[in-house]
Amino acid sequence: LEEWIKLAKQSPFASFQQAANTLERWKEPILSYFLCPYTNARIEGTNHKIKNIKRRAGYRNLERFRLRVFLECTGNTTGSQAA
């Protein structure tokens, strides 16, 4: 990674230089991922899905909103599991 950053910074192309600067700034978190490969991507995706549901429909009934979220996130509307 260090070698690629060095070569990209010497490149005549601005896009390579920008990518090298970004990688240099985020080098520590990127490399730490390989030591502990866990992310919160699944939770972030679920939160994004819920926000989109809220934007699309504007539910006034909380129970219907809750069931819609449960349906889109799990594909199931069983009330006992939706609690």
Side-chain angles (χ1 to χ4, degrees):
L1 185 61
E2 292 279 341
E3 185 177 342
W4 189 91
I5 291 172
K6 182 180 174 186
L7 290 172
K9 283 188 170 194
Q10 296 170 357
S11 171
F13 303 109
S15 58
F16 276 105
Q17 295 168 3
Q18 290 173 346
N21 289 333
T22 301
L23 284 174
E24 196 168 49
R25 264 194 318 273
W26 289 93
K27 184 172 61 174
E28 186 180 335
I30 291 169
L31 294 177
S32 69
Y33 170 78
F34 292 100
L35 296 175
C36 181
Y38 301 107
T39 68
N40 64 343
R42 187 176 198 127
I43 298 298
E44 292 295 332
T46 301
N47 287 341
H48 183 71
K49 197 179 284 189
I50 292 169
K51 285 181 183 180
N52 282 338
I53 294 167
K54 195 163 52 171
R55 274 189 217 114
R56 278 193 321 248
Y59 288 93
R60 290 181 300 233
N61 183 323
L62 182 61
E63 180 61 24
R64 288 185 180 174
F65 173 67
R66 189 173 68 83
L67 286 174
R68 184 63 186 191
V69 167
F70 196 70
L71 174 66
E72 289 202 26
C73 292
T74 67
N76 195 346
T77 58
T78 307
S80 62
Q81 292 178 344

PDB file of all heavy atoms in Angstrom, residues 11-40:
ATOM      1  N   SER A  11       2.473  10.322  -9.996  1.00  0.00           N
ATOM      2  CA  SER A  11       1.780  10.221 -11.272  1.00  0.00           C
ATOM      3  C   SER A  11       1.419  11.609 -11.806  1.00  0.00           C
ATOM      4  O   SER A  11       1.124  12.523 -11.036  1.00  0.00           O
ATOM      5  CB  SER A  11       0.506   9.401 -11.086  1.00  0.00           C
ATOM      6  OG  SER A  11      -0.297   9.461 -12.245  1.00  0.00           O
ATOM      7  N   PRO A  12       1.403  11.760 -13.122  1.00  0.00           N
ATOM      8  CA  PRO A  12       0.986  13.043 -13.698  1.00  0.00           C
ATOM      9  C   PRO A  12      -0.534  13.240 -13.670  1.00  0.00           C
ATOM     10  O   PRO A  12      -1.024  14.325 -13.961  1.00  0.00           O
ATOM     11  CB  PRO A  12       1.494  12.966 -15.141  1.00  0.00           C
ATOM     12  CG  PRO A  12       1.571  11.517 -15.448  1.00  0.00           C
ATOM     13  CD  PRO A  12       1.892  10.840 -14.147  1.00  0.00           C
ATOM     14  N   PHE A  13      -1.275  12.195 -13.299  1.00  0.00           N
ATOM     15  CA  PHE A  13      -2.730  12.273 -13.289  1.00  0.00           C
ATOM     16  C   PHE A  13      -3.247  12.698 -11.926  1.00  0.00           C
ATOM     17  O   PHE A  13      -2.935  12.084 -10.905  1.00  0.00           O
ATOM     18  CB  PHE A  13      -3.336  10.919 -13.677  1.00  0.00           C
ATOM     19  CG  PHE A  13      -2.873  10.428 -15.021  1.00  0.00           C
ATOM     20  CD1 PHE A  13      -2.016   9.358 -15.119  1.00  0.00           C
ATOM     21  CD2 PHE A  13      -3.288  11.065 -16.187  1.00  0.00           C
ATOM     22  CE1 PHE A  13      -1.579   8.907 -16.344  1.00  0.00           C
ATOM     23  CE2 PHE A  13      -2.856  10.624 -17.415  1.00  0.00           C
ATOM     24  CZ  PHE A  13      -1.991   9.548 -17.510  1.00  0.00           C
ATOM     25  N   ALA A  14      -4.071  13.736 -11.914  1.00  0.00           N
ATOM     26  CA  ALA A  14      -4.595  14.288 -10.660  1.00  0.00           C
ATOM     27  C   ALA A  14      -5.467  13.280  -9.920  1.00  0.00           C
ATOM     28  O   ALA A  14      -5.471  13.243  -8.684  1.00  0.00           O
ATOM     29  CB  ALA A  14      -5.381  15.559 -10.938  1.00  0.00           C
ATOM     30  N   SER A  15      -6.202  12.450 -10.659  1.00  0.00           N
ATOM     31  CA  SER A  15      -7.082  11.484  -9.999  1.00  0.00           C
ATOM     32  C   SER A  15      -6.280  10.461  -9.191  1.00  0.00           C
ATOM     33  O   SER A  15      -6.711  10.045  -8.112  1.00  0.00           O
ATOM     34  CB  SER A  15      -7.978  10.785 -11.022  1.00  0.00           C
ATOM     35  OG  SER A  15      -7.194  10.133 -11.994  1.00  0.00           O
ATOM     36  N   PHE A  16      -5.122  10.054  -9.689  1.00  0.00           N
ATOM     37  CA  PHE A  16      -4.269   9.134  -8.924  1.00  0.00           C
ATOM     38  C   PHE A  16      -3.733   9.820  -7.674  1.00  0.00           C
ATOM     39  O   PHE A  16      -3.655   9.217  -6.600  1.00  0.00           O
ATOM     40  CB  PHE A  16      -3.097   8.635  -9.772  1.00  0.00           C
ATOM     41  CG  PHE A  16      -3.436   7.462 -10.639  1.00  0.00           C
ATOM     42  CD1 PHE A  16      -3.617   7.629 -11.996  1.00  0.00           C
ATOM     43  CD2 PHE A  16      -3.572   6.195 -10.104  1.00  0.00           C
ATOM     44  CE1 PHE A  16      -3.924   6.556 -12.802  1.00  0.00           C
ATOM     45  CE2 PHE A  16      -3.882   5.106 -10.900  1.00  0.00           C
ATOM     46  CZ  PHE A  16      -4.061   5.290 -12.261  1.00  0.00           C
ATOM     47  N   GLN A  17      -3.369  11.069  -7.804  1.00  0.00           N
ATOM     48  CA  GLN A  17      -2.855  11.815  -6.648  1.00  0.00           C
ATOM     49  C   GLN A  17      -3.933  11.983  -5.585  1.00  0.00           C
ATOM     50  O   GLN A  17      -3.665  11.837  -4.394  1.00  0.00           O
ATOM     51  CB  GLN A  17      -2.309  13.164  -7.109  1.00  0.00           C
ATOM     52  CG  GLN A  17      -1.096  13.037  -8.005  1.00  0.00           C
ATOM     53  CD  GLN A  17      -0.726  14.339  -8.682  1.00  0.00           C
ATOM     54  OE1 GLN A  17      -1.337  15.371  -8.438  1.00  0.00           O
ATOM     55  NE2 GLN A  17       0.271  14.288  -9.554  1.00  0.00           N
ATOM     56  N   GLN A  18      -5.150  12.262  -6.016  1.00  0.00           N
ATOM     57  CA  GLN A  18      -6.265  12.390  -5.064  1.00  0.00           C
ATOM     58  C   GLN A  18      -6.543  11.057  -4.373  1.00  0.00           C
ATOM     59  O   GLN A  18      -6.772  11.020  -3.162  1.00  0.00           O
ATOM     60  CB  GLN A  18      -7.525  12.872  -5.779  1.00  0.00           C
ATOM     61  CG  GLN A  18      -7.457  14.300  -6.230  1.00  0.00           C
ATOM     62  CD  GLN A  18      -8.667  14.688  -7.079  1.00  0.00           C
ATOM     63  OE1 GLN A  18      -9.421  13.823  -7.531  1.00  0.00           O
ATOM     64  NE2 GLN A  18      -8.831  15.982  -7.309  1.00  0.00           N
ATOM     65  N   ALA A  19      -6.525   9.973  -5.136  1.00  0.00           N
ATOM     66  CA  ALA A  19      -6.752   8.647  -4.549  1.00  0.00           C
ATOM     67  C   ALA A  19      -5.648   8.319  -3.547  1.00  0.00           C
ATOM     68  O   ALA A  19      -5.915   7.769  -2.467  1.00  0.00           O
ATOM     69  CB  ALA A  19      -6.816   7.589  -5.635  1.00  0.00           C
ATOM     70  N   ALA A  20      -4.413   8.665  -3.878  1.00  0.00           N
ATOM     71  CA  ALA A  20      -3.288   8.414  -2.972  1.00  0.00           C
ATOM     72  C   ALA A  20      -3.451   9.205  -1.676  1.00  0.00           C
ATOM     73  O   ALA A  20      -3.202   8.675  -0.585  1.00  0.00           O
ATOM     74  CB  ALA A  20      -1.974   8.772  -3.653  1.00  0.00           C
ATOM     75  N   ASN A  21      -3.867  10.454  -1.788  1.00  0.00           N
ATOM     76  CA  ASN A  21      -4.081  11.273  -0.583  1.00  0.00           C
ATOM     77  C   ASN A  21      -5.190  10.702   0.286  1.00  0.00           C
ATOM     78  O   ASN A  21      -5.083  10.666   1.511  1.00  0.00           O
ATOM     79  CB  ASN A  21      -4.395  12.720  -0.969  1.00  0.00           C
ATOM     80  CG  ASN A  21      -3.184  13.434  -1.530  1.00  0.00           C
ATOM     81  OD1 ASN A  21      -2.058  13.093  -1.205  1.00  0.00           O
ATOM     82  ND2 ASN A  21      -3.415  14.404  -2.379  1.00  0.00           N
ATOM     83  N   THR A  22      -6.262  10.247  -0.359  1.00  0.00           N
ATOM     84  CA  THR A  22      -7.369   9.647   0.390  1.00  0.00           C
ATOM     85  C   THR A  22      -6.924   8.376   1.099  1.00  0.00           C
ATOM     86  O   THR A  22      -7.225   8.172   2.282  1.00  0.00           O
ATOM     87  CB  THR A  22      -8.547   9.336  -0.556  1.00  0.00           C
ATOM     88  OG1 THR A  22      -8.967  10.555  -1.173  1.00  0.00           O
ATOM     89  CG2 THR A  22      -9.708   8.715   0.195  1.00  0.00           C
ATOM     90  N   LEU A  23      -6.209   7.512   0.385  1.00  0.00           N
ATOM     91  CA  LEU A  23      -5.704   6.284   1.005  1.00  0.00           C
ATOM     92  C   LEU A  23      -4.747   6.581   2.147  1.00  0.00           C
ATOM     93  O   LEU A  23      -4.749   5.891   3.166  1.00  0.00           O
ATOM     94  CB  LEU A  23      -5.015   5.404  -0.036  1.00  0.00           C
ATOM     95  CG  LEU A  23      -5.933   4.638  -0.965  1.00  0.00           C
ATOM     96  CD1 LEU A  23      -5.127   3.916  -2.034  1.00  0.00           C
ATOM     97  CD2 LEU A  23      -6.768   3.640  -0.186  1.00  0.00           C
ATOM     98  N   GLU A  24      -3.936   7.597   1.982  1.00  0.00           N
ATOM     99  CA  GLU A  24      -2.995   7.964   3.041  1.00  0.00           C
ATOM    100  C   GLU A  24      -3.734   8.443   4.295  1.00  0.00           C
ATOM    101  O   GLU A  24      -3.379   8.084   5.416  1.00  0.00           O
ATOM    102  CB  GLU A  24      -2.054   9.057   2.543  1.00  0.00           C
ATOM    103  CG  GLU A  24      -0.837   9.245   3.400  1.00  0.00           C
ATOM    104  CD  GLU A  24       0.187  10.110   2.707  1.00  0.00           C
ATOM    105  OE1 GLU A  24      -0.197  11.191   2.195  1.00  0.00           O
ATOM    106  OE2 GLU A  24       1.351   9.719   2.682  1.00  0.00           O
ATOM    107  N   ARG A  25      -4.806   9.229   4.092  1.00  0.00           N
ATOM    108  CA  ARG A  25      -5.597   9.699   5.228  1.00  0.00           C
ATOM    109  C   ARG A  25      -6.311   8.555   5.935  1.00  0.00           C
ATOM    110  O   ARG A  25      -6.449   8.559   7.152  1.00  0.00           O
ATOM    111  CB  ARG A  25      -6.650  10.713   4.755  1.00  0.00           C
ATOM    112  CG  ARG A  25      -6.246  12.136   4.897  1.00  0.00           C
ATOM    113  CD  ARG A  25      -7.420  13.095   4.751  1.00  0.00           C
ATOM    114  NE  ARG A  25      -8.349  12.777   3.687  1.00  0.00           N
ATOM    115  CZ  ARG A  25      -8.228  13.175   2.421  1.00  0.00           C
ATOM    116  NH1 ARG A  25      -7.199  13.890   2.048  1.00  0.00           N
ATOM    117  NH2 ARG A  25      -9.142  12.850   1.535  1.00  0.00           N
ATOM    118  N   TRP A  26      -6.800   7.575   5.188  1.00  0.00           N
ATOM    119  CA  TRP A  26      -7.597   6.480   5.743  1.00  0.00           C
ATOM    120  C   TRP A  26      -6.810   5.177   5.893  1.00  0.00           C
ATOM    121  O   TRP A  26      -7.394   4.116   6.118  1.00  0.00           O
ATOM    122  CB  TRP A  26      -8.818   6.238   4.852  1.00  0.00           C
ATOM    123  CG  TRP A  26      -9.813   7.334   4.956  1.00  0.00           C
ATOM    124  CD1 TRP A  26      -9.903   8.435   4.161  1.00  0.00           C
ATOM    125  CD2 TRP A  26     -10.846   7.460   5.919  1.00  0.00           C
ATOM    126  NE1 TRP A  26     -10.940   9.231   4.564  1.00  0.00           N
ATOM    127  CE2 TRP A  26     -11.537   8.655   5.650  1.00  0.00           C
ATOM    128  CE3 TRP A  26     -11.263   6.676   6.991  1.00  0.00           C
ATOM    129  CZ2 TRP A  26     -12.613   9.082   6.404  1.00  0.00           C
ATOM    130  CZ3 TRP A  26     -12.344   7.098   7.738  1.00  0.00           C
ATOM    131  CH2 TRP A  26     -13.000   8.287   7.450  1.00  0.00           C
ATOM    132  N   LYS A  27      -5.487   5.270   5.799  1.00  0.00           N
ATOM    133  CA  LYS A  27      -4.652   4.071   5.821  1.00  0.00           C
ATOM    134  C   LYS A  27      -4.844   3.236   7.082  1.00  0.00           C
ATOM    135  O   LYS A  27      -5.010   2.013   7.012  1.00  0.00           O
ATOM    136  CB  LYS A  27      -3.184   4.462   5.657  1.00  0.00           C
ATOM    137  CG  LYS A  27      -2.248   3.286   5.579  1.00  0.00           C
ATOM    138  CD  LYS A  27      -0.838   3.710   5.236  1.00  0.00           C
ATOM    139  CE  LYS A  27      -0.303   4.624   6.306  1.00  0.00           C
ATOM    140  NZ  LYS A  27       1.098   4.961   6.126  1.00  0.00           N
ATOM    141  N   GLU A  28      -4.853   3.861   8.229  1.00  0.00           N
ATOM    142  CA  GLU A  28      -4.981   3.121   9.492  1.00  0.00           C
ATOM    143  C   GLU A  28      -6.302   2.350   9.582  1.00  0.00           C
ATOM    144  O   GLU A  28      -6.286   1.147   9.858  1.00  0.00           O
ATOM    145  CB  GLU A  28      -4.826   4.067  10.674  1.00  0.00           C
ATOM    146  CG  GLU A  28      -4.814   3.341  11.999  1.00  0.00           C
ATOM    147  CD  GLU A  28      -4.653   4.302  13.162  1.00  0.00           C
ATOM    148  OE1 GLU A  28      -4.095   5.396  12.971  1.00  0.00           O
ATOM    149  OE2 GLU A  28      -5.106   3.945  14.253  1.00  0.00           O
ATOM    150  N   PRO A  29      -7.468   2.982   9.336  1.00  0.00           N
ATOM    151  CA  PRO A  29      -8.715   2.196   9.381  1.00  0.00           C
ATOM    152  C   PRO A  29      -8.777   1.103   8.315  1.00  0.00           C
ATOM    153  O   PRO A  29      -9.309   0.023   8.562  1.00  0.00           O
ATOM    154  CB  PRO A  29      -9.813   3.223   9.158  1.00  0.00           C
ATOM    155  CG  PRO A  29      -9.206   4.541   9.417  1.00  0.00           C
ATOM    156  CD  PRO A  29      -7.745   4.407   9.167  1.00  0.00           C
ATOM    157  N   ILE A  30      -8.236   1.374   7.135  1.00  0.00           N
ATOM    158  CA  ILE A  30      -8.257   0.368   6.072  1.00  0.00           C
ATOM    159  C   ILE A  30      -7.439  -0.848   6.480  1.00  0.00           C
ATOM    160  O   ILE A  30      -7.893  -1.992   6.358  1.00  0.00           O
ATOM    161  CB  ILE A  30      -7.731   0.960   4.743  1.00  0.00           C
ATOM    162  CG1 ILE A  30      -8.717   1.980   4.184  1.00  0.00           C
ATOM    163  CG2 ILE A  30      -7.457  -0.139   3.729  1.00  0.00           C
ATOM    164  CD1 ILE A  30      -8.184   2.802   3.031  1.00  0.00           C
ATOM    165  N   LEU A  31      -6.246  -0.621   6.979  1.00  0.00           N
ATOM    166  CA  LEU A  31      -5.383  -1.743   7.370  1.00  0.00           C
ATOM    167  C   LEU A  31      -5.908  -2.461   8.609  1.00  0.00           C
ATOM    168  O   LEU A  31      -5.746  -3.675   8.733  1.00  0.00           O
ATOM    169  CB  LEU A  31      -3.949  -1.250   7.588  1.00  0.00           C
ATOM    170  CG  LEU A  31      -3.243  -0.749   6.324  1.00  0.00           C
ATOM    171  CD1 LEU A  31      -1.857  -0.215   6.665  1.00  0.00           C
ATOM    172  CD2 LEU A  31      -3.169  -1.829   5.268  1.00  0.00           C
ATOM    173  N   SER A  32      -6.540  -1.744   9.520  1.00  0.00           N
ATOM    174  CA  SER A  32      -7.067  -2.399  10.719  1.00  0.00           C
ATOM    175  C   SER A  32      -8.228  -3.326  10.380  1.00  0.00           C
ATOM    176  O   SER A  32      -8.496  -4.280  11.105  1.00  0.00           O
ATOM    177  CB  SER A  32      -7.476  -1.375  11.766  1.00  0.00           C
ATOM    178  OG  SER A  32      -8.602  -0.652  11.337  1.00  0.00           O
ATOM    179  N   TYR A  33      -8.907  -3.070   9.255  1.00  0.00           N
ATOM    180  CA  TYR A  33      -9.992  -3.966   8.833  1.00  0.00           C
ATOM    181  C   TYR A  33      -9.460  -5.384   8.613  1.00  0.00           C
ATOM    182  O   TYR A  33     -10.126  -6.364   8.914  1.00  0.00           O
ATOM    183  CB  TYR A  33     -10.652  -3.461   7.551  1.00  0.00           C
ATOM    184  CG  TYR A  33     -11.593  -4.476   6.954  1.00  0.00           C
ATOM    185  CD1 TYR A  33     -12.865  -4.666   7.474  1.00  0.00           C
ATOM    186  CD2 TYR A  33     -11.193  -5.281   5.896  1.00  0.00           C
ATOM    187  CE1 TYR A  33     -13.725  -5.611   6.951  1.00  0.00           C
ATOM    188  CE2 TYR A  33     -12.044  -6.236   5.371  1.00  0.00           C
ATOM    189  CZ  TYR A  33     -13.303  -6.396   5.903  1.00  0.00           C
ATOM    190  OH  TYR A  33     -14.134  -7.344   5.387  1.00  0.00           O
ATOM    191  N   PHE A  34      -8.241  -5.502   8.103  1.00  0.00           N
ATOM    192  CA  PHE A  34      -7.685  -6.826   7.830  1.00  0.00           C
ATOM    193  C   PHE A  34      -7.311  -7.565   9.111  1.00  0.00           C
ATOM    194  O   PHE A  34      -7.212  -8.786   9.121  1.00  0.00           O
ATOM    195  CB  PHE A  34      -6.486  -6.713   6.886  1.00  0.00           C
ATOM    196  CG  PHE A  34      -6.892  -6.265   5.509  1.00  0.00           C
ATOM    197  CD1 PHE A  34      -6.738  -4.943   5.129  1.00  0.00           C
ATOM    198  CD2 PHE A  34      -7.461  -7.153   4.622  1.00  0.00           C
ATOM    199  CE1 PHE A  34      -7.129  -4.523   3.871  1.00  0.00           C
ATOM    200  CE2 PHE A  34      -7.863  -6.741   3.360  1.00  0.00           C
ATOM    201  CZ  PHE A  34      -7.697  -5.432   2.989  1.00  0.00           C
ATOM    202  N   LEU A  35      -7.119  -6.833  10.202  1.00  0.00           N
ATOM    203  CA  LEU A  35      -6.867  -7.477  11.493  1.00  0.00           C
ATOM    204  C   LEU A  35      -8.167  -7.911  12.155  1.00  0.00           C
ATOM    205  O   LEU A  35      -8.223  -8.930  12.832  1.00  0.00           O
ATOM    206  CB  LEU A  35      -6.106  -6.520  12.416  1.00  0.00           C
ATOM    207  CG  LEU A  35      -4.714  -6.120  11.951  1.00  0.00           C
ATOM    208  CD1 LEU A  35      -4.123  -5.069  12.885  1.00  0.00           C
ATOM    209  CD2 LEU A  35      -3.816  -7.338  11.852  1.00  0.00           C
ATOM    210  N   CYS A  36      -9.210  -7.117  11.973  1.00  0.00           N
ATOM    211  CA  CYS A  36     -10.514  -7.415  12.571  1.00  0.00           C
ATOM    212  C   CYS A  36     -11.590  -7.112  11.516  1.00  0.00           C
ATOM    213  O   CYS A  36     -12.101  -5.996  11.454  1.00  0.00           O
ATOM    214  CB  CYS A  36     -10.720  -6.558  13.818  1.00  0.00           C
ATOM    215  SG  CYS A  36     -12.269  -6.882  14.642  1.00  0.00           S
ATOM    216  N   PRO A  37     -11.924  -8.108  10.671  1.00  0.00           N
ATOM    217  CA  PRO A  37     -12.772  -7.838   9.505  1.00  0.00           C
ATOM    218  C   PRO A  37     -14.269  -7.760   9.805  1.00  0.00           C
ATOM    219  O   PRO A  37     -15.071  -8.457   9.198  1.00  0.00           O
ATOM    220  CB  PRO A  37     -12.460  -9.016   8.581  1.00  0.00           C
ATOM    221  CG  PRO A  37     -12.146 -10.120   9.521  1.00  0.00           C
ATOM    222  CD  PRO A  37     -11.449  -9.472  10.696  1.00  0.00           C
ATOM    223  N   TYR A  38     -14.651  -6.919  10.737  1.00  0.00           N
ATOM    224  CA  TYR A  38     -16.062  -6.737  11.054  1.00  0.00           C
ATOM    225  C   TYR A  38     -16.454  -5.298  10.779  1.00  0.00           C
ATOM    226  O   TYR A  38     -15.703  -4.375  11.071  1.00  0.00           O
ATOM    227  CB  TYR A  38     -16.340  -7.067  12.525  1.00  0.00           C
ATOM    228  CG  TYR A  38     -15.964  -8.476  12.891  1.00  0.00           C
ATOM    229  CD1 TYR A  38     -14.844  -8.734  13.660  1.00  0.00           C
ATOM    230  CD2 TYR A  38     -16.721  -9.549  12.448  1.00  0.00           C
ATOM    231  CE1 TYR A  38     -14.476 -10.025  13.982  1.00  0.00           C
ATOM    232  CE2 TYR A  38     -16.370 -10.843  12.765  1.00  0.00           C
ATOM    233  CZ  TYR A  38     -15.245 -11.074  13.530  1.00  0.00           C
ATOM    234  OH  TYR A  38     -14.900 -12.356  13.840  1.00  0.00           O
ATOM    235  N   THR A  39     -17.639  -5.130  10.216  1.00  0.00           N
ATOM    236  CA  THR A  39     -18.124  -3.776   9.945  1.00  0.00           C
ATOM    237  C   THR A  39     -19.568  -3.661  10.443  1.00  0.00           C
ATOM    238  O   THR A  39     -20.199  -4.662  10.792  1.00  0.00           O
ATOM    239  CB  THR A  39     -18.114  -3.450   8.439  1.00  0.00           C
ATOM    240  OG1 THR A  39     -19.094  -4.251   7.782  1.00  0.00           O
ATOM    241  CG2 THR A  39     -16.744  -3.692   7.825  1.00  0.00           C
ATOM    242  N   ASN A  40     -20.074  -2.452  10.432  1.00  0.00           N
ATOM    243  CA  ASN A  40     -21.473  -2.231  10.809  1.00  0.00           C
ATOM    244  C   ASN A  40     -22.327  -2.023   9.562  1.00  0.00           C
ATOM    245  O   ASN A  40     -23.394  -1.426   9.623  1.00  0.00           O
ATOM    246  CB  ASN A  40     -21.581  -1.042  11.762  1.00  0.00           C
ATOM    247  CG  ASN A  40     -21.164   0.253  11.105  1.00  0.00           C
ATOM    248  OD1 ASN A  40     -20.512   0.240  10.068  1.00  0.00           O
ATOM    249  ND2 ASN A  40     -21.517   1.362  11.707  1.00  0.00           N
TER     250      ASN A  40
END
